[in-house]
Amino acid sequence: MEHLPVIIYTSRNVSREGSRPLAVSCVRSYCSEFDISPGNLELSTTKKGKPYFPFHSSLGFSISHSETLWVCAVSIGAVGIDVQRQKTLRGNGISQRFFSCEEQKFAEFHGLNGFFQIWAAKEAYTKYLGLGLSYPFSSFSTVKNGSMTAELDGCFFSYFSIEPSYSLCLCTSFPNPKIYIRTAPPAD
């Protein structure tokens, strides 16, 4: 079965208040591009805080930001995205607290790039599940056999950088998604 592409919309300097209206504009743009009737795009929030469209349950979206970069992934079906600006960390307490032994080894070997690949994958995965930071990061590993995993419990990972010094991970319910990157449309 062929899946519709995932579109990752990007923007800069989006405020917390402006994030949801901009995400709705991105979803509207996605619907227009693939001839999907957007219907009522009123947002609700799950008990765990994940925003969703109760009147259009097949539309999935996920938002992330790091420093000035804002991203929104839109897909048919569940999706999770996270972007992390790679910056110097003090100490290794974060990896000892939140990473599996294999993830710690990977981060130690690959430095900042490895650390932020893992962190982006963990956040994208928990967003995909709709649990966000309430899901304990130490309870799962995104590294298997010395490499970043491509699949975990039916969730498929795509890793890439859309800008230098940024790690991005996208989680979808199907492998090898076709991914388009677009500039976000203006908020409605």
Side-chain angles (χ1 to χ4, degrees):
M1 177 171 134
E2 183 154 342
H3 297 275
L4 286 178
V6 176
I7 298 183
I8 298 173
Y9 296 92
T10 66
S11 191
R12 289 281 185 186
N13 301 312
V14 177
S15 69
R16 282 222 180 271
E17 301 79 34
S19 188
R20 284 191 177 192
L22 187 54
V24 171
S25 289
C26 292
V27 170
R28 198 176 307 285
S29 176
Y30 182 91
C31 289
S32 176
E33 185 162 342
F34 296 109
D35 201 28
I36 299 168
S37 174
N40 182 347
L41 291 181
E42 179 182 319
L43 279 171
S44 288
T45 306
T46 67
K47 290 179 184 177
K48 296 288 185 179
K50 181 176 175 71
Y52 72 101
F53 299 108
F55 301 106
H56 214 312
S57 60
S58 65
L59 282 173
F61 78 103
S62 182
I63 302 167
S64 181
H65 57 86
S66 185
E67 295 193 2
T68 63
L69 182 60
W70 179 92
V71 295
C72 177
V74 182
S75 177
I76 298 298
V79 66
I81 194 167
D82 192 63
V83 63
Q84 293 290 323
R85 171 86 161 85
Q86 297 172 12
K87 54 190 173 202
T88 304
L89 300 171
R90 292 184 224 162
N92 62 356
I94 294 173
S95 61
Q96 289 176 342
R97 183 172 174 200
F98 296 106
F99 290 6
S100 69
C101 290
E102 196 167 10
E103 287 171 328
Q104 289 178 45
K105 290 176 188 171
F106 183 90
E108 186 176 315
F109 183 78
H110 293 283
L112 284 177
N113 184 49
F115 175 90
F116 285 106
Q117 276 187 314
I118 293 167
W119 194 265
K122 285 183 171 286
E123 282 210 36
Y125 179 66
T126 60
K127 289 177 181 181
Y128 168 85
L129 295 175
L131 302 173
L133 296 175
S134 71
Y135 194 80
F137 276 19
S138 60
S139 68
F140 64 96
S141 181
T142 59
V143 174
K144 291 190 180 154
N145 302 319
S147 298
M148 295 300 295
T149 189
E151 187 269 338
L152 179 63
D153 297 330
C155 173
F156 296 89
F157 294 76
S158 299
Y159 305 94
F160 50 98
S161 177
I162 57 174
E163 289 192 11
S165 301
Y166 282 89
S167 294
L168 189 142
C169 182
L170 175 71
C171 289
T172 58
S173 58
F174 52 93
N176 306 313
K178 187 178 286 186
I179 301 168
Y180 298 141
I181 298 175
R182 306 262 195 273
T183 300
D188 291 339

